[in-house]
Amino acid sequence: MAILSPPFFGPFRAAPDAAPRADTVGGSPAGSLATRLNWLRAGVLGANDGIVSVAAIVVGVAGAGGSTPAIVAAGAAGLVGGAISMALGEYVSVSSQSDSQRAMIDKQKRELRDDPAGELEVLAGLYEAHGLEPATARQVAIELTEKDALKAHLSLELNIVEEDVASAWHAAGASALAFTLGAILPLLAILLPPENVRVPVTFLAVLVALALTGALGARLGGSRLARATVRVVTGGAAALFVTWLVGTLLGTSVF
């Protein structure tokens, strides 16, 4: 059970031939905003995964004729197992990313300590490559180096903000929480209604929730609203129908 990762989930990258913007010189507010949006999108997709995964489990058990205690047990197991799986996957992924970022930061610190003059020339060259006149590029490099050399190099060379390096524990907790919040919906949807309508009610509740998460994910990702929403709803509906059908067939043949 893993968070889907469409292309817009990658780290923010400035266009290589674009001149540095005034609001990002010596820092990366745009990168910070992109990081926050990525976290939000990951949360939306984590909730979406919780909705579909647990809904498929409880609908399958209900289709097999399982009792309410059996549905509760299966749904709870799916919720706990899915949340742990999501947290573990996110922890491993973000740990690898943050370790790589910290290694690059340490390397940049050593280079600034061992060869400050050379690093100044590198920074000036980068600004010149972005379109500034040589004299202007050097002056900008000198001023930013005096203010915060590490921050300037990390921002322009690596597009990293040292304070924004992700915490693997925070990522794991956020992923588990998002999955859990999503998973609660199908559990409530199948347990609260009368037994004779609980499966249709669960289908309806899940599809409405998927439409909302699909629309929100599309809005955050800047993709087409209708296409993304239909894709998510269609996939969720297919998952629910297949698991319900499997449960029904197994319930007929086994019980």
Side-chain angles (χ1 to χ4, degrees), residues 152-240:
H153 280 271
L154 292 179
S155 175
L156 190 60
E157 288 189 56
L158 304 174
N159 197 31
I160 294 176
V161 178
E162 188 173 11
E163 296 79 7
D164 283 352
V165 175
S167 163
W169 286 109
H170 290 168
S175 183
L177 178 61
F179 184 95
T180 300
L181 292 176
I184 289 173
L185 173 68
L187 275 176
L188 294 177
I190 204 161
L191 293 176
L192 295 181
E195 184 174 340
N196 61 324
V197 296
R198 63 187 179 187
V199 171
V201 168
T202 302
F203 266 76
L204 179 61
V206 166
L207 294 183
V208 169
L210 290 178
L212 293 174
T213 59
L216 181 56
R219 184 66 177 269
L220 293 171
S223 59
R224 292 184 179 180
L225 191 67
R227 177 183 297 179
T229 303
V230 169
R231 185 167 54 231
V232 172
V233 170
T234 301
L240 290 179

Side-chain angles (χ1 to χ4, degrees), residues 39 43 45 86 99 105 111 116 135 137 154 162 177 184 192 206 214 252:
W39 277 91
L45 291 177
M86 293 286 287
D99 287 346
I105 291 171
E111 291 174 349
L154 292 179
E162 188 173 11
L177 178 61
I184 289 173
L192 295 181
V206 166
T252 301

Side-chain angles (χ1 to χ4, degrees), residues 35-238:
T35 299
R36 290 193 293 270
L37 288 176
N38 284 342
W39 277 91
L40 184 54
R41 286 194 288 264
V44 170
L45 291 177
N48 183 81
D49 201 0
I51 293 170
V52 175
S53 299
V54 174
I57 292 173
V58 296
V59 165
V61 175
S67 63
T68 297
I71 293 173
V72 171
L79 186 156
V80 173
I84 293 174
S85 175
M86 293 286 287
L88 180 59
E90 194 73 5
Y91 178 83
V92 172
S93 175
V94 174
S95 290
S96 298
Q97 178 183 340
S98 59
D99 287 346
S100 176
Q101 289 176 326
R102 290 191 178 95
M104 289 189 288
I105 291 171
D106 290 340
K107 180 175 181 290
Q108 189 63 62
K109 287 179 178 178
R110 289 194 302 271
E111 291 174 349
L112 286 170
R113 183 186 65 241
D114 297 340
D115 187 15
E119 287 301 299
L120 176 62
E121 294 302 323
V122 169
L123 191 61
L126 289 171
Y127 277 108
E128 187 176 343
H130 276 80
L132 297 182
E133 292 296 327
T136 305
R138 183 170 181 79
Q139 184 61 33
V140 170
I142 291 173
E143 291 183 13
L144 290 178
T145 297
E146 291 175 349
K147 182 178 180 181
D148 191 332
L150 178 62
K151 188 174 184 179
H153 280 271
L154 292 179
S155 175
L156 190 60
E157 288 189 56
L158 304 174
N159 197 31
I160 294 176
V161 178
E162 188 173 11
E163 296 79 7
D164 283 352
V165 175
S167 163
W169 286 109
H170 290 168
S175 183
L177 178 61
F179 184 95
T180 300
L181 292 176
I184 289 173
L185 173 68
L187 275 176
L188 294 177
I190 204 161
L191 293 176
L192 295 181
E195 184 174 340
N196 61 324
V197 296
R198 63 187 179 187
V199 171
V201 168
T202 302
F203 266 76
L204 179 61
V206 166
L207 294 183
V208 169
L210 290 178
L212 293 174
T213 59
L216 181 56
R219 184 66 177 269
L220 293 171
S223 59
R224 292 184 179 180
L225 191 67
R227 177 183 297 179
T229 303
V230 169
R231 185 167 54 231
V232 172
V233 170
T234 301

